[in-house]
Amino acid sequence: MQSSLTRATCRHVLRQLLHCADGDVAPFRRDTRGDSVRARPVAHSHMRRNVLIILGVVALVYGALAIALDSAILRLSSGKGAVALSPACLPATLDHSAALGATGVDVSPAPDTDTANPHTQVSFLGVPADEIREVAVVGAHSGRHPGHVRGYSQGDGASFAPDSPFAVGERVSVRAVIVAHGRTTPVSFGFRVDTPYSTANTTDFANLPAAPADYRSFYTLAGAHPPVMTVTTPDRDPAAGDVFTTNGPGPGQYGPLIYTPQGRVVWFQRLPQGEAAENLNVQTDEGRRYLTWWRGHVLSLGFGQGEDVVMDSRYRTVARYAGGNGLPADLHDFRLTGRGIAYTTAYNPIRCDLSQVGGSPSGAIVDNAIQQVDMRTGLVRWEWHSLDHVGAAESEVEAPSNSTPWDYFHLNSIEPEPDGKILISARSTWAAYQLQGASGQILWRLGGNRSSFAMGPGTRMAWQHDGRVLADGELTFFDDGSNPPIHKQSRAIRVRLDLERKRATLVAAYTHQDPQLLAASQGNAQTLPDGGTLVGYGGVPAISEFASDGSLLFDAHQPYDMSFYRAFRYPWSARPVSPPSVLAALNDTGEETVVHASWNGATGVSSWRVLAGKSPASLTSKAVIGADGFESSTTLPVKYIYAAVQALDAAGRVIGTSPAAKVIGYYASLSAGS
């Protein structure tokens, strides 16, 4: 804006001086044929004699102005206190389609869109790779891009991977030939590359130490401090299984967590300082159950940059996805859908002139992306961007007056539906959207300021998370109702849609009564197999299970100064690939041996057999003790040199054996586990 103003000033001065050079010192007269003022030069011979002199003065003045003003611009756009103008990025048209005519092929980036990252690949989805031919990709500035066409493992498409990135802001033209059903069809489309906003200097959410009363410590899990989970309503639904959650952002150690419904730790994987874990879930893919979660850095802007992790029931990592097309994997959702396909969220902060919506001309905006991923190859099969479909006017968040990226949409859940449609939830628009899964076009909106439905009593949401579709077509959400507060308390809701009459009706709402809870962020609602609902309150780290009639079946919480993203319950059976752990130490008299045993992540351990002796080869059974928590301990009334433990199931069978450990001294044991 500053740059265009100064250049306009220069041009205006130049025009005025040129008018003076061509005519009288009073160069304008009223045209007697109308009321408009028109420039009419009145020639004088003595003025014409001065034309060359005045033109010389014009050149000098214009040059001086240009130097002075451009210097001011340079001072504004470089160095300390720099203000760099942002390019236009808010699209003139919305609801673009990824479909390439009647070819049956959907492409990403979608035609005529402006949100492609410079490192994007070009995806063709809908025909086998060998039917995608003669791909030519040309950037308006970067020129022709050589690259490779890489097929998807599902056999239904391919991505063109250029050998080098595109230039920021340039338009890219794509041509190809699609051979399908005996027909050869030339296709062409184009897209524009965005201008990424660098997050290199953006801080993470603060990760302070937790109060000692807020976490547990174990002799056999050195350095790990999982948060305490306090149970306030004992579990009345044991079939629902264990509790799956995380800790953070906030104080305490980060990592994925499994608890029993009695509050005992089953599994905790401590992550390095500042690296967070979010969205621990259990998903089934092609008949096998997996743990899925996200790890990485949670930026203070409210999104993550990291990777999605898939583990088997032995806690072995079987797949990772760190993002594609230049966008790191975000924390908000990750959904396995079978055939090696997953959906994940990605946040795409870009520089953007926001002056037309009351923001800064040097602004930035957070565009949100959905990526459909081939987990076997890491290729992005299909990509959807919020800025291509959802206008800035739908946001309930005011555009900032500075260069802080505007979180105008805030995608927080993806729900692939069986018929190929996709339900998504956006916190900042207070709305959910159903997308046509191929073209990406919006089929309807629920809530927000452009709702496709008449919203019945109790159906209006604010700052909501976690939109899900049930088998009967009803929808569930966690309605935060805050931040800033709009509702008195957060709730999980169930909504029925009348697609013909375009009406939304509240079926059920679940709230925490004692005390009432209002979460400023995060949260989820899980529908359990028996029709009950588990509610994770996110920013207020409470977990409640409600029966279908609304009665409370289970209630627990982490320390209230902490937070988690989501919480779930599942039956879980696991036997880690790593062996049990043992720590043995002499007591304070030096005449007895204290033995501690655990198996991080294991289920089905009913008791422990304690082995001890003078050497690893001479260990014999000395005691059998119950497995009464994450870590079990006993004292042997004899001084031993080595010890080991065996995990026993309910039938007394050995299911795991620790390595032999040398018994340490009493004083050394005081710092063990810290």
Side-chain angles (χ1 to χ4, degrees):
M1 185 175 181
Q2 178 69 32
S3 176
S4 60
L5 175 64
T6 52
R7 291 192 183 97
T9 302
C10 286
R11 289 194 295 269
H12 177 71
V13 171
L14 178 61
R15 283 196 297 269
Q16 294 300 311
L17 289 171
L18 288 174
H19 278 307
C20 291
D22 275 343
D24 203 349
V25 290
F28 301 118
R29 286 187 180 178
R30 183 171 299 278
D31 191 326
T32 57
R33 292 173 295 180
D35 293 332
S36 62
V37 177
R38 179 177 301 177
R40 300 181 65 198
V42 181
H44 295 279
S45 59
H46 68 278
M47 294 297 295
R48 289 184 183 134
R49 286 195 301 268
N50 295 329
V51 166
L52 294 177
I53 297 173
I54 293 176
L55 284 175
V57 172
V58 167
L60 289 172
V61 170
Y62 183 75
L65 281 170
I67 292 170
L69 293 173
D70 283 350
S71 296
I73 295 168
L74 287 172
R75 286 194 299 271
L76 286 170
S77 60
S78 64
K80 187 175 181 180
V83 178
L85 298 178
S86 296
C89 87
L90 300 180
T93 59
L94 294 169
D95 211 18
H96 298 271
S97 174
L100 275 185
T103 63
V105 174
D106 302 303
V107 294
S108 307
D112 301 319
T113 56
D114 304 325
T115 51
N117 186 273
H119 293 272
T120 192
Q121 299 179 356
V122 182
S123 302
F124 298 82
L125 183 61
V127 297
D130 60 3
E131 295 181 1
I132 303 165
R133 303 175 184 175
E134 300 179 29
V135 179
V137 179
V138 180
H141 301 301
S142 57
R144 187 180 183 91
H145 281 257
H148 301 84
V149 175
R150 299 175 58 195
Y152 306 141
S153 65
Q154 297 78 19
D156 57 355
S159 288
F160 173 80
D163 292 342
S164 59
F166 299 107
V168 165
E170 73 173 336
R171 181 167 176 79
V172 177
S173 299
V174 181
R175 296 191 310 275
V177 173
I178 306 298
V179 180
H181 310 297
R183 297 179 57 187
T184 299
T185 306
V187 296
S188 63
F189 64 98
F191 58 86
R192 190 171 297 279
V193 179
D194 62 29
T195 304
Y197 173 92
S198 174
T199 59
N201 296 321
T202 302
T203 58
D204 292 0
F205 273 101
N207 179 210
L208 302 175
D214 288 349
Y215 60 80
R216 296 289 311 275
S217 296
F218 302 103
Y219 288 101
T220 52
L221 197 62
H225 303 303
V228 171
M229 188 177 84
T230 302
V231 177
T232 53
T233 298
D235 182 35
R236 294 196 289 135
D237 184 20
D242 293 326
V243 175
F244 294 71
T245 189
T246 56
N247 172 43
Q253 289 182 357
Y254 294 161
L257 278 156
I258 304 175
Y259 298 95
T260 70
Q262 291 75 37
R264 297 194 296 265
V265 174
V266 174
W267 179 59
F268 177 58
Q269 180 173 321
R270 177 192 177 190
L271 296 182
Q273 174 69 28
E275 185 177 350
E278 306 289 355
N279 198 31
L280 176 65
N281 201 352
V282 177
Q283 300 192 57
T284 300
D285 190 69
E286 298 181 351
R288 300 187 65 180
R289 301 179 83 218
Y290 296 98
L291 281 178
T292 63
W293 52 291
W294 176 91
R295 66 183 296 173
H297 291 272
V298 182
L299 303 187
S300 57
L301 295 173
F303 59 89
Q305 295 181 339
E307 64 177 1
D308 297 303
V309 180
V310 182
M311 286 180 163
D312 64 14
S313 61
R314 305 200 72 186
Y315 304 97
R316 295 176 296 196
T317 298
V318 297
R320 297 177 184 270
Y321 179 69
N325 289 349
L327 304 179
D330 167 61
L331 67 91
H332 282 91
D333 217 352
F334 176 71
R335 306 288 289 182
L336 299 176
T337 61
R339 299 195 306 128
I341 297 172
Y343 285 85
T344 189
T345 53
Y347 276 48
N348 181 35
I350 60 176
R351 294 184 55 216
C352 183
D353 180 356
L354 299 176
S355 56
Q356 64 176 288
V357 291
S360 170
S362 302
I365 193 169
V366 184
D367 172 40
N368 294 185
I370 301 168
Q371 292 183 341
Q372 184 194 97
V373 181
D374 180 356
M375 292 295 292
R376 298 170 185 143
T377 64
L379 295 171
V380 177
R381 294 164 45 88
W382 177 85
E383 188 171 275
W384 181 94
H385 286 257
S386 61
L387 272 178
D388 300 337
H389 301 271
V390 180
E394 293 190 42
S395 184
E396 298 290 342
V397 179
E398 186 175 322
S401 58
N402 56 25
S403 60
T404 301
W406 182 25
D407 190 11
Y408 96 107
F409 192 68
H410 201 94
L411 172 70
N412 55 43
S413 66
I414 308 169
E415 179 78 346
E417 300 182 46
D419 60 0
K421 300 183 180 69
I422 302 169
L423 177 75
I424 64 173
S425 168
R427 168 184 165 87
S428 294
T429 62
W430 300 4
Y433 303 79
Q434 188 186 63
L435 311 181
Q436 205 288 325
S439 70
Q441 293 177 302
I442 295 174
L443 300 177
W444 49 252
R445 293 165 167 83
L446 177 67
N449 59 33
R450 289 191 59 194
S451 182
S452 306
F453 298 87
M455 304 298 288
T459 60
R460 284 282 179 185
M461 304 176 292
W463 316 112
Q464 84 292 333
H465 286 74
D466 196 38
R468 302 297 169 199
V469 182
L470 305 184
D472 61 4
E474 293 180 350
L475 310 179
T476 62
F477 299 92
F478 180 74
D479 182 17
D480 296 67
S482 180
N483 187 16
I486 301 297
H487 304 326
K488 292 182 179 180
Q489 58 184 322
S490 300
R491 59 192 184 140
I493 62 172
R494 185 165 177 162
V495 177
R496 180 182 299 122
L497 300 183
D498 185 331
L499 297 176
E500 292 184 1
R501 298 182 180 180
K502 296 295 183 182
R503 293 181 178 275
T505 302
L506 183 68
V507 176
Y510 304 99
T511 57
H512 198 280
Q513 295 301 316
D514 185 19
Q516 293 186 354
L517 301 178
L518 186 61
S521 66
Q522 308 172 95
N524 71 302
Q526 177 195 11
T527 301
L528 300 172
D530 62 0
T533 299
L534 186 83
V535 183
Y537 290 87
V540 181
I543 304 163
S544 303
E545 182 185 338
F546 298 92
S548 55
D549 63 1
S551 59
L552 186 64
L553 299 179
F554 170 72
D555 196 47
H557 64 84
Q558 290 179 343
Y560 281 121
D561 59 345
M562 295 183 176
S563 72
F564 59 67
Y565 180 46
R566 289 173 175 163
F568 300 93
R569 287 193 72 177
Y570 296 102
W572 182 244
S573 177
R575 189 170 299 176
V577 68
S578 58
S581 297
V582 63
L583 185 138
L586 298 178
N587 70 351
D588 57 351
T589 69
E591 298 300 325
E592 298 180 322
T593 305
V594 182
V595 180
H596 309 278
S598 71
W599 198 1
N600 189 18
T603 63
V605 179
S606 294
S607 58
W608 292 98
R609 180 179 291 138
V610 180
L611 311 174
K614 294 182 178 181
S615 70
S618 63
L619 302 183
T620 58
S621 176
K622 304 300 180 183
V624 175
I625 60 174
D628 53 3
F630 178 85
E631 185 175 79
S632 300
S633 302
T634 192
T635 299
L636 304 177
V638 176
K639 178 180 179 180
Y640 290 104
I641 300 176
Y642 285 91
V645 293
Q646 293 176 333
L648 309 179
D649 65 12
R653 294 181 295 248
V654 176
I655 57 176
T657 301
S658 76
K662 191 169 185 177
V663 177
I664 62 175
Y666 169 70
Y667 290 105
S669 72
L670 296 181
S671 60
S674 62

